[in-house]
Every structure is written in C-alpha cells, then in structure tokens.
Amino acid sequence: MEHVYWIGGGSGGGKSTVARRLAAAQGLRLYATDDAMADHARRSTPADSPELARFLAMDMDQRWLLRSPETMLDTFHWYRGEAFGLIVDDLRAAGDAGVVAEGFRLLPHLVRPQLASPRHAVWLLPTPEFRRAAFEQRGSLWKIAGRTSDPATALANLLARDAMFTDRVRAEAADLGLRVLEVDGTASEEDLVAQVAAWVRSRAGSFVIAT
C-alpha cells in the first residue's frame, strides 16, 4: 500500500491535527479511523468481533466501573485489532490516490505488514499529563465517565487504561523497529507537525509543511 501514510498512537496525542495538516499540505486524502468506527461496528459480527459484541451488550457502569483498567485494556475490541481488516478494505477501495490514515486503531503489529516503508508510519505517544490536559482543552474529559454512576472512578479507570495502552504501543513499535514520537507538551503543535513531516517520506522525498 505505497499510497498510504499511517499515524497511530495514544488518544490525545495530536494524531488528528498532525494528519489533517500533513494531508492538506501534500494534497492527500484524510482517513480518520474514528469516523469509521460506527460503520465498522455495523459491518462486524459476533463471530469476527467477539469483544465488540460483548462490549455493546454492557451498560456504562459495566464498561467503565465494574472492571479493572487491566481488563478494560485486554478486552477492548479496537485495542485487540477487531475490524482492522475493514480499515484495510476501505483504504484499498479508495484507489491509489495518496491518503493519510490516522487513529489509535492503527496498532503497530497490524500496520507493519501493510507498510511500503517504515518511513510511511509514525506513532504519537502522549504522556498521561498531556493526555488529560488535551481532553480538558477539548471539553471531552468527562464525556464517557460522566455517563456512569461514579464519574470520578470511571475517569480514573479510563485514564489508567489509556496510559497502559500507550505503553503497549511503545513497546510493540520498538520490537518492530517502528518510529514513535513522545508527546509531552514541550514541543509546539508546529514543531510536532514538522517532526512528523521530517520523518515521513514519499517516493519523492521528505514531506514539506507550509508555515
């Protein structure tokens, strides 16, 4: 899939912003995997996505209060790669025009076989502090936790789960020799975009981001 550039990583790490700017600067199409989740859930079955089926059968407290963060991590359907094949199908169906795909569903071990080059992919890994600040800035910090009977505990569970997911992605990328960028707030948005653009390469060479 030589026409696809992949930006994965933990939630709150700036994937959407970087991907949007990279796509705009290079005249590429943007494919946000978050936007495809509802469609992919509809197209999935309990046979091919069993964790998704179990998740959908739970209420909010069962999802975010009555299980440990470790269990939430190990059983969350998107973290297990369920329906990743539908992402690949979507990208192939769109033809050979260049595209930037982004989202936390782009797990390193699933993306690696699709890569034309290691320089077609990068994972952005936010620190826990940066993630919380990003969610607060967006106004989405309590979006999920606020729908449970104990929002404070649910939020703590969610943030713990997300931190463990980020650690897992970091280790997986390292094992596969794939590039990660740590996001801790010391680099500006402009700097982060420039770092990604400096790493990602097309056949014509490094990408250029207009300032």
Side-chain angles (χ1 to χ4, degrees), residues 41 51-59 63 77:
E51 294 296 348
L52 171 60
R54 282 189 277 270
F55 183 83
L56 293 176
M58 298 178 191
D59 62 32
R63 292 175 183 177
H77 42 285

Side-chain angles (χ1 to χ4, degrees), residues 141-158:
L141 185 64
W142 299 96
K143 182 178 179 180
I144 293 175
R147 295 166 59 198
T148 70
S149 62
D150 185 351
T153 299
L155 179 61
N157 287 341
L158 276 162

Side-chain angles (χ1 to χ4, degrees), residues 7-206:
I7 301 178
S11 297
K15 300 180 300 299
S16 298
T17 297
V18 171
R20 182 176 63 251
R21 292 191 54 181
L22 189 66
Q26 300 299 318
L28 304 173
R29 186 172 63 87
L30 179 65
Y31 178 85
T33 61
D34 282 10
D35 293 345
M37 287 193 294
D39 174 59
H40 291 175
R42 285 191 296 269
R43 293 161 62 188
S44 299
T45 68
D48 58 46
S49 299
E51 294 296 348
L52 171 60
R54 282 189 277 270
F55 183 83
L56 293 176
M58 298 178 191
D59 62 32
M60 293 299 286
D61 279 9
Q62 290 171 325
R63 292 175 183 177
W64 310 117
L65 285 178
L66 303 180
R67 304 182 300 157
S68 69
E70 291 81 6
T71 298
M72 294 177 189
L73 173 69
D74 289 338
T75 62
F76 191 54
H77 42 285
W78 303 136
Y79 290 174
R80 293 180 66 87
E82 290 186 351
F84 181 79
L86 297 179
I87 292 175
V88 175
D89 289 347
D90 289 348
L91 292 170
R92 292 191 184 282
D96 295 332
V99 57
V100 179
E102 65 89 7
F104 69 85
R105 296 172 61 192
L106 304 181
L107 308 179
H109 76 277
L110 297 176
V111 171
R112 185 65 184 88
Q114 310 297 329
L115 290 177
S117 162
R119 298 199 71 153
H120 276 217
V122 65
W123 280 263
L124 306 183
L125 305 179
T127 63
E129 296 78 14
F130 186 89
R131 175 184 292 107
R132 180 171 183 132
F135 287 165
E136 287 179 335
Q137 186 176 24
R138 296 176 189 173
S140 62
L141 185 64
W142 299 96
K143 182 178 179 180
I144 293 175
R147 295 166 59 198
T148 70
S149 62
D150 185 351
T153 299
L155 179 61
N157 287 341
L158 276 162
L159 293 175
R161 182 205 65 160
D162 287 353
M164 289 187 292
F165 172 71
T166 300
D167 289 343
R168 180 177 290 182
V169 170
R170 179 184 294 106
E172 190 175 286
D175 286 344
L176 295 170
L178 298 172
R179 175 75 165 174
V180 303
L181 290 175
E182 303 289 341
V183 182
D184 60 7
T186 57
S188 68
E189 178 183 306
E190 294 290 336
D191 289 339
L192 184 60
V193 172
Q195 288 179 54
V196 173
W199 169 252
V200 176
R201 285 183 179 270
S202 68
R203 283 173 293 183
S206 296

